Amino acid sequence: MSPSPSAAEAAPSEQRLHIRRARKPLNCEPCRRSKLRCDRRLPCTSCSRRGLVSLCTYRNQRQGHDSEPTNDDASRQSPHRGGASRLLAPLPEHDRRSLLQSPENPAASDSHARWEEVFQRPTDQPLYARYGHGCQLNGFNFPFSLGPDIPKQDLLNLLPPKECCDYLVIQYFSRLSPLYHILHGPTFQKEYTRFFDRQAETDLSWMALLFVLCSVTLNTMEESDSTLINSWCKETESLSFRAAAAKFRNHAMVCLSQDQFLIRHSLHTLQALLILIYGMSHNDGVEQTWVLLGMALNIGIALRCNIKTKPSTMGWIEFEQHRRCWAGILMLHTYQAILFRDVNVSAFSEIEVTLPADVNDTDIRDDMILPPSSQPTQMSVIMFKLRLFEISSRVCDLLSRDTELTGENLTSLDSLISQEQAKWDAKFLINGQPSVLDLSSYAHWCILQQYAHQLYLLLHRAFCRSRMGQPPRFESQLKCTTSGVALLEIHRQFAELPRLRQYRWYVYGMTSFCAFHGAVAIASCLLMEPESLNASSYKSVFDAAVVRFKALQERSTICAKAFPIISHLRTMIWPDNPDGSLMCPDSSNVLDEWFDSVPWLNVDSVNWASSSIPI
């Protein structure tokens, strides 16, 4: 009997199957369905990352033998079958049952599970398949990690002893937090206690926050601090406080990198970045924080810190922490607006947000916020700075369009700044005098005054010389010298006043540069109008500033760079002539040319080595 057609057709097919070389499965089932290359472990790295450990199986494996080809293998070799049709092809019955019975997918349908795998694909499949989780390549990770994986315990070992941590955290909340209060103290206290109880369970972002607090606080400490030396003698034997602060800042960035903060972030991530930027603004220069500030801004938007209404799922404490972070972002942009004339950040003032309540930490409960107090609160200085932010944005906008800066604009903005100063007096002073019961309130007042006088210098400097066919305004010259003296006096108080001792660190950075700006403004005006401004009345203030800058050279890089210039300016104005006469006012031309050639308040934009500097 001749074979039937079906049998005849089956024979060559069967023969081809025997001739064709069988091969082992290259991928486990989840990787094969998602078209991922598998590292063939059990479970493989891909399934471990995506939570599909129970589904990680290899079809038709035989102990010691090659597996036969499958229909899926054949379809993968065929050039005529599209990727989408293979992707949506029905699963075999045993795969469907394993999906439905999987602990990770108790109620998942076959198509839902398959699409979940598709959506979890890495963006770069070849790199991912080759290098595994994080795609380590040449010592760097993808996506967006900045270094190789480091065990959490190794990072924990980099922290100083607990006694030292306690001391640094206490100093942070007494020295820095009153000036930039974005943390909710009671909440941080709970997190800090829980950290030392269960360190292994701590998030990397919170560890980054702790490293940042240690770093920024160390930059405010004196090298002779006996309490810190005794509690941390092992480190201080080989490192200065500033060097240790730099190490802790690096450790914080490592923690954020390990946490992949560019694509995965929390409130702790944002808090760590903001405090880091605040410290860098004062110690390293505002211009070095631009990129980090942009990242913090976008993370704040991603975390919905700028929403106006509290979500029903969020308590008041958490909501206030989000709003404080947004206020912190705006305050850091205030620095940019004041320190860079050509940067217009007025768009931020147009964003409609609900600012944090002007209350203390203890006034915030999870179910309500108590009414604001008439007394200074932990948030008062930030709220005043945000109002100043609006004024500084208008000032910078006008300065960027010099032709629109008129006498009317000058008078209007001058009046707005003066009104804010009156509010500060009412809030932080008692009958015009500092409070003896609240040490931080006077520091707040001095810092706000510093920003006000910076704005005065920016506004009136343009009118100290002839412009647009108009002669110099004597009122503007007098305002510049008055504000310059005020900046030098604030510098003196932070450097010498006992009541501001815990804020002495403030004089090492921006305050010294502001004082230097004030000194140059005074010198410029006095060289132009030495007689009408009564130059002799400024001599004692200027001489005292020269002495302070000399004394602060070792601790402050700004003072070290500015001291030769301010010393020479003093000689230009009051040369050691027997008759006590002033140098010819024409010598002010060199100073004015240099004065106008730099974006003044950007310390690192000053070319200190330039031959045009009047030394």
Side-chain angles (χ1 to χ4, degrees):
M1 180 180 293
S2 61
S4 64
S6 59
E9 293 174 0
S13 175
E14 183 177 2
Q15 184 179 8
R16 284 195 300 271
L17 286 175
H18 284 294
I19 295 174
R20 180 180 175 183
R21 181 181 178 183
R23 59 180 186 177
K24 295 180 181 180
L26 296 178
N27 300 329
C28 67
E29 290 303 295
C31 290
R32 181 179 59 80
R33 288 193 295 272
S34 295
K35 303 301 179 286
L36 304 177
R37 295 185 64 183
C38 181
D39 60 11
R40 306 192 67 184
R41 298 179 181 177
L42 192 62
C44 71
T45 303
S46 175
C47 290
S48 299
R49 181 183 69 85
R50 296 183 292 156
L52 302 176
V53 173
S54 62
L55 304 181
C56 186
T57 58
Y58 296 84
R59 184 186 299 183
N60 297 332
Q61 279 188 314
R62 300 176 182 175
Q63 187 70 26
H65 299 280
D66 292 340
S67 61
E68 294 181 352
T70 64
N71 292 333
D72 287 292
D73 292 330
S75 67
R76 190 159 47 240
Q77 292 177 346
S78 173
H80 303 291
R81 299 193 59 180
S85 62
R86 294 197 305 273
L87 189 64
L88 299 177
L91 289 172
E93 183 64 27
H94 75 279
D95 283 349
R96 184 179 297 108
R97 286 198 302 269
S98 64
L99 277 172
L100 293 175
Q101 297 172 359
S102 169
E104 287 90 347
N105 302 276
S109 65
D110 170 38
S111 60
H112 176 74
R114 180 166 290 197
W115 278 111
E116 282 295 310
E117 294 179 20
V118 173
F119 290 138
Q120 293 184 35
R121 281 186 176 185
T123 57
D124 193 321
Q125 296 180 37
L127 286 177
Y128 180 88
R130 182 176 179 184
Y131 294 102
H133 174 57
C135 184
Q136 188 172 10
L137 179 62
N138 296 330
F140 294 90
N141 289 354
F142 187 89
F144 307 124
S145 288
L146 306 178
D149 289 340
I150 299 176
K152 182 184 292 186
Q153 188 57 50
D154 290 354
L155 294 172
L156 290 170
N157 293 337
L158 297 174
L159 284 168
K162 184 179 183 304
E163 295 78 9
C164 183
C165 279
D166 292 345
Y167 183 65
L168 290 174
V169 168
I170 291 171
Q171 293 300 313
Y172 170 80
F173 279 95
S174 64
R175 292 168 176 258
L176 284 149
S177 185
L179 307 179
Y180 190 65
H181 195 70
I182 65 170
L183 298 181
H184 183 252
T187 299
F188 181 85
Q189 174 69 64
K190 295 177 183 178
E191 295 169 345
Y192 186 76
T193 302
R194 184 168 59 246
F195 167 73
F196 283 102
D197 289 340
R198 300 189 296 273
Q199 292 189 10
E201 302 175 11
T202 302
D203 293 335
L204 286 168
S205 59
W206 194 92
M207 288 175 56
L209 175 60
L210 182 57
F211 274 120
V212 167
L213 296 190
C214 292
S215 175
V216 296
T217 305
L218 275 172
N219 275 322
T220 71
M221 307 295 291
E222 301 293 337
E223 295 285 345
S224 59
D225 191 294
S226 58
T227 304
L228 187 54
I229 293 174
N230 293 335
S231 63
W232 194 28
C233 57
K234 182 178 180 180
E235 290 288 341
T236 53
E237 287 177 358
S238 57
L239 289 178
S240 66
F241 287 176
R242 295 186 67 185
K247 284 186 61 177
F248 284 144
R249 186 171 72 181
N250 292 340
H251 299 338
M253 295 307 297
V254 169
C255 289
L256 292 177
S257 171
Q258 297 295 297
D259 202 40
Q260 294 191 335
F261 75 106
L262 292 177
I263 56 175
R264 181 177 62 192
H265 24 258
S266 65
L267 191 62
H268 293 143
T269 307
L270 182 57
Q271 290 169 339
L273 280 175
L274 291 179
I275 296 173
L276 175 65
I277 294 169
Y278 179 78
M280 291 179 62
S281 297
H282 285 278
N283 295 292
D284 303 296
V286 173
E287 69 292 332
Q288 296 191 24
T289 66
W290 261 119
V291 174
L292 287 175
L293 183 54
M295 293 163 53
L297 170 63
N298 286 285
I299 290 175
I301 294 173
L303 295 176
R304 304 180 67 200
C305 292
N306 59 328
I307 58 176
K308 297 179 62 176
T309 307
K310 182 182 76 66
S312 58
T313 57
M314 188 180 294
W316 279 107
I317 293 178
E318 184 180 359
F319 185 53
E320 278 299 291
Q321 288 188 96
H322 281 74
R323 295 201 292 188
R324 286 182 175 187
C325 283
W326 187 256
I329 292 172
L330 294 180
M331 197 180 104
L332 293 173
H333 277 88
T334 303
Y335 296 161
Q336 303 290 348
I338 294 178
L339 300 186
F340 293 92
R341 288 181 46 168
D342 55 347
V343 174
N344 185 358
V345 291
S346 58
F348 286 97
S349 60
E350 300 173 1
I351 301 177
E352 295 185 4
V353 297
T354 303
L355 294 176
D358 188 8
V359 296
N360 294 314
D361 289 347
T362 53
D363 298 327
I364 308 173
R365 303 174 184 173
D366 211 38
D367 58 342
M368 65 178 296
I369 298 178
L370 298 180
S373 169
S374 60
Q375 300 299 314
T377 70
Q378 292 171 304
M379 292 300 296
S380 293
V381 68
I382 288 185
M383 306 308 293
F384 280 123
K385 280 188 177 182
L386 294 182
R387 295 193 190 101
L388 196 61
F389 169 73
E390 299 178 4
I391 301 175
S392 66
S393 297
R394 294 177 58 181
V395 171
C396 292
D397 185 42
L398 284 174
L399 291 175
S400 64
R401 297 177 280 119
D402 184 66
T403 56
E404 298 187 18
L405 182 59
T406 62
E408 291 75 13
N409 290 332
L410 175 68
T411 302
S412 174
L413 291 172
D414 200 284
S415 177
L416 284 178
I417 299 172
S418 179
Q419 292 173 19
E420 288 298 309
Q421 287 178 302
K423 295 177 183 178
W424 305 337
D425 293 348
K427 190 74 169 182
F428 296 115
L429 302 181
I430 299 177
N431 297 324
Q433 298 296 321
S435 170
V436 296
L437 303 178
D438 183 5
L439 295 179
S440 61
S441 62
Y442 186 63
H444 294 166
W445 183 85
C446 290
I447 291 169
L448 290 169
Q449 292 291 343
Q450 174 179 287
Y451 291 125
H453 289 293
Q454 288 282 74
L455 290 179
Y456 281 137
L457 289 182
L458 285 176
L459 279 171
H460 288 273
R461 167 63 186 169
F463 294 90
C464 287
R465 302 173 67 182
S466 299
R467 65 186 302 269
M468 301 175 64
Q470 298 295 322
R473 290 173 58 118
F474 177 76
E475 295 82 0
S476 290
Q477 293 175 347
L478 186 61
K479 190 67 175 181
C480 281
T481 55
T482 303
S483 292
V485 170
L487 290 172
L488 291 179
E489 175 61 15
I490 292 172
H491 185 264
R492 183 195 69 80
Q493 293 193 39
F494 275 111
E496 300 176 359
L497 207 62
R499 67 176 298 120
L500 295 177
R501 180 176 178 82
Q502 63 182 2
Y503 301 106
R504 186 162 295 171
W505 61 272
Y506 213 78
V507 82
Y508 301 140
M510 287 178 58
T511 297
S512 284
F513 192 68
C514 292
F516 176 58
H517 182 210
V520 175
I522 293 172
S524 176
C525 293
L526 292 184
L527 287 171
M528 282 190 290
E529 298 288 342
E531 296 180 359
S532 58
L533 291 174
N534 190 12
S536 60
S537 62
Y538 298 92
K539 187 174 185 300
S540 60
V541 175
F542 211 99
D543 286 347
V546 173
V547 172
R548 283 197 307 276
F549 272 74
K550 182 178 181 181
L552 292 170
Q553 285 185 98
E554 292 185 4
R555 184 66 189 268
S556 171
T557 55
I558 292 176
C559 289
K561 294 175 180 178
F563 172 68
I565 301 176
I566 194 174
S567 298
H568 186 70
L569 291 178
R570 188 265 179 207
T571 304
M572 289 176 65
I573 305 171
W574 299 283
D576 296 326
N577 296 334
D579 58 356
S581 60
L582 293 172
M583 185 175 288
C584 177
D586 292 341
S587 61
S588 67
N589 292 336
V590 176
L591 174 62
D592 288 336
E593 289 176 4
W594 176 70
F595 199 171
D596 295 333
S597 67
V598 294
W600 228 110
L601 302 180
N602 178 1
V603 58
D604 279 352
S605 292
V606 178
N607 186 1
W608 302 95
S610 172
S611 59
S612 63
I613 295 179
I615 297 181

